[in-house]
Amino acid sequence: MLKAWHEAQVSRIELELQAAALAEMHRQKEEVEEDLSRYTGLYEQAPACYLSLSRSGRIDGANRAAAALLRQARAELIGMHFEQFIAPCSLPDWRGLLARLDRQGKPSAVEVQLQEELGGAYRVRLEANYNARNGGCRIILSDISDWHAREMALQRAFAMLDSLDEGMALTNASGRIVSINPAFSQLTAYPPAAVLGRSLRFLRHREPGAAFYADIWRSLLCRGSWQGEAWGQRADGGEFLAALSLKVMRDPDGRQTNLLAVFSDITQRKRAEMALRELHRELDTRVRLRTSELAQANAHLRQLSAHLAEVKEAERKRIAREIHDELGQNLLALRIDISMLQARAGANHPRLRQRASLALENVDATIRSVRNIINELRPAVLDLGLHAALEWLVRDFAVRGQFDCRLVVAGDALFERIDAESGVVLFRIVQESLSNVLRHAAASHVRVELAEEGDTVLLLVEDNGAGMETSQRDKPGAFGLLGIAERVEAMGGALSIVSAPRDGCRLSVRLALPARA
């Protein structure tokens, strides 16, 4: 019985131990299942892309991120061959990775390009390690298309900077040069080894002074950039003038990280500009000198023109007087003699009387021609005053042109203030204006007005004729208006002509009057 009791105690103890072992095994199983569930959740929800491949290269496991990257449903991925997602150009790299897989578990990595229509990603990084359980491999995929694009853009930017003709230097936050382009070395004759780590100030040739640096820093602090010119010195000792541009480079937080300096050699351009400015100054001096000479020549020409007008008027007066005194008297004496001969011939000599009559008619015609010539040269009525001369001139042209020609004068007191020289000028202007109307205007009405406006006399000659265009005033051979303008300018007056085709013409002249006594 004691032996049976001992056996029962041993059995009870064994059962208790087995129960405790089973409980521990159940607890461990629960922990393993919990860890597996946690691992599965992490595997499924991980942002990284995980794939599991069999020995044949087919996918036998994938998480959600991998399915999203490859743009396939997870159920559809299982059993698909992974190579069908890789672009043909990257297949040798992928197969080389498989051949390099270490059976000891060491990972291997490669960058490949995926099929765009299948995978959607442009470029990925594959990290694979050997899976001893099935002889396949486990893969982590990382999409590096954005990084690759940034890297390519950065390479293109550096290639562009290297191809620029302008020198470029990049400094760090402390102002030390960390990078230069080939143009920098070409312009300064400094190799990169002699430049990197130095401040940009080592290039200065002429010390610009504190104000120059203060302006630079003020501009960099306020605007983040500065542009100007500065003298520099090459490695061989030669100097150059540079067009310099500074730009502050900042990180996303706004802190200054780098300073970009871009400069180009403008020495030859500056020298050319200086030579051009010197040439401009010389040309300006010559132009001013020539302008002064032309102004002086124009003044002399005006004086000469005024003098010629005076001489012409005096010569007209002299010729008219000589014709009147000499030729006129001779013609008058000849007419008296022929009249006496005609009277004596009487009825006894009809043929002689007829011949005398014809001769008398010729003499009368000659006297009229001489009188017209004298009036054209200088009418004697001018000696009676400007008013009488203008009235005679207006009546004469009204008869000759068969049009209505009127003279309007604002009082006789005006003529008392007009001196002899101004009177002759006004008479000639009216005479030339009426001649132009008679020859070109085909007018039916002409109005000549003389009025006093303050210390000036205003002369108006207005018609309702055909008018004229502006170009007709300056056509070759049109010296009438030019002569009027010259005489008015010589007298210090002002001339104005308003005209349009088929709208008549209005000529106005203003001359200064002597001060009242």
Side-chain angles (χ1 to χ4, degrees), residues 19 38 48 118 127 143 190 232 243 296 391 413 419 497 517:
R38 187 182 302 111
L118 293 176
E127 297 184 16
D143 185 359
Y190 281 100
Q296 187 177 4
E391 287 182 344
D419 56 18
I497 300 176

Side-chain angles (χ1 to χ4, degrees), residues 381 385-395 407 409 415 426-427 430 448 450 459:
V381 73
L386 178 60
H387 195 178
L390 290 178
E391 287 182 344
W392 169 84
L393 185 61
V394 168
R395 285 196 306 269
L407 174 65
V409 179
F415 295 98
L426 292 172
F427 177 82
V430 175
V448 179
L450 205 64
L459 170 65

Side-chain angles (χ1 to χ4, degrees), residues 84 160 355 418 482:
Q84 72 183 71
M160 186 180 298
R355 296 293 299 273
I418 300 176
L482 181 60

Side-chain angles (χ1 to χ4, degrees), residues 29-269:
K29 179 182 178 182
E30 289 180 348
E31 289 181 354
V32 168
E33 289 178 351
E34 184 179 355
D35 290 341
L36 181 61
S37 176
R38 187 182 302 111
Y39 171 78
T40 303
L42 291 175
Y43 176 82
E44 293 296 334
Q45 303 298 329
C49 303
Y50 296 109
L51 288 176
S52 176
L53 304 184
S54 64
R55 184 189 301 271
S56 62
R58 296 185 179 276
I59 300 174
D60 57 14
N63 67 347
R64 294 180 181 179
L69 177 66
L70 299 179
R71 295 187 178 181
Q72 297 288 335
R74 291 178 59 193
E76 296 176 356
L77 278 177
I78 305 303
M80 297 180 68
H81 208 290
F82 182 65
E83 283 194 359
Q84 72 183 71
F85 293 99
I86 300 177
C89 60
S90 296
L91 284 176
D93 297 331
W94 161 247
R95 291 167 182 170
L97 171 68
L98 294 179
R100 293 193 305 271
L101 280 181
D102 191 346
R103 296 182 180 274
Q104 302 298 323
K106 294 182 180 179
S108 183
V110 69
E111 293 180 8
V112 299
Q113 181 176 340
L114 297 184
Q115 293 278 13
E116 188 171 358
E117 65 273 11
L118 293 176
Y122 177 74
R123 198 166 185 84
V124 296
R125 175 181 173 83
L126 303 179
E127 297 184 16
N129 58 4
Y130 183 73
N131 187 355
R133 183 176 60 83
N134 61 359
C137 64
R138 290 182 287 267
I139 303 174
I140 300 177
L141 292 86
S142 302
D143 185 359
I144 60 171
S145 54
D146 293 339
W147 173 86
H148 188 266
R150 291 194 298 270
E151 188 69 19
M152 293 297 294
L154 187 61
Q155 291 179 6
R156 288 194 297 269
F158 277 111
M160 186 180 298
L161 290 176
D162 289 344
S163 65
L164 290 178
D165 293 333
E166 289 80 10
M168 185 277 295
L170 187 66
T171 69
N172 55 20
S174 61
R176 300 294 175 178
I177 299 174
V178 296
S179 176
I180 62 173
N181 68 340
F184 183 96
S185 299
Q186 183 178 359
L187 293 175
T188 63
Y190 281 100
V195 173
L196 298 180
R198 302 178 68 177
S199 171
L200 277 173
R201 292 191 178 186
F202 85 94
L203 285 175
R204 68 175 183 265
H205 176 64
R206 303 178 183 180
E207 183 59 47
F212 179 78
Y213 293 116
D215 177 67
I216 290 179
W217 289 117
R218 184 165 53 252
S219 179
L220 291 178
L221 289 175
C222 296
R223 300 190 299 270
S225 62
W226 178 87
Q227 288 184 345
E229 297 177 357
W231 284 95
Q233 186 174 14
R234 296 186 178 89
D236 56 5
E239 65 176 7
F240 64 93
L241 181 63
L244 180 61
S245 175
L246 302 177
K247 177 68 177 179
V248 175
M249 313 296 291
R250 301 184 184 277
D251 60 13
D253 296 330
R255 295 189 300 268
Q256 178 179 343
T257 57
N258 301 91
L259 182 67
L260 179 64
V262 180
F263 67 93
S264 56
D265 189 354
I266 60 171
T267 309
Q268 297 298 328
R269 192 186 76 187

Side-chain angles (χ1 to χ4, degrees), residues 460-477:
L460 294 176
V461 181
E462 188 173 7
D463 67 78
N464 63 346
M468 61 179 175
E469 296 180 354
T470 305
S471 59
Q472 292 179 298
R473 305 176 191 176
D474 302 325
K475 66 180 181 179

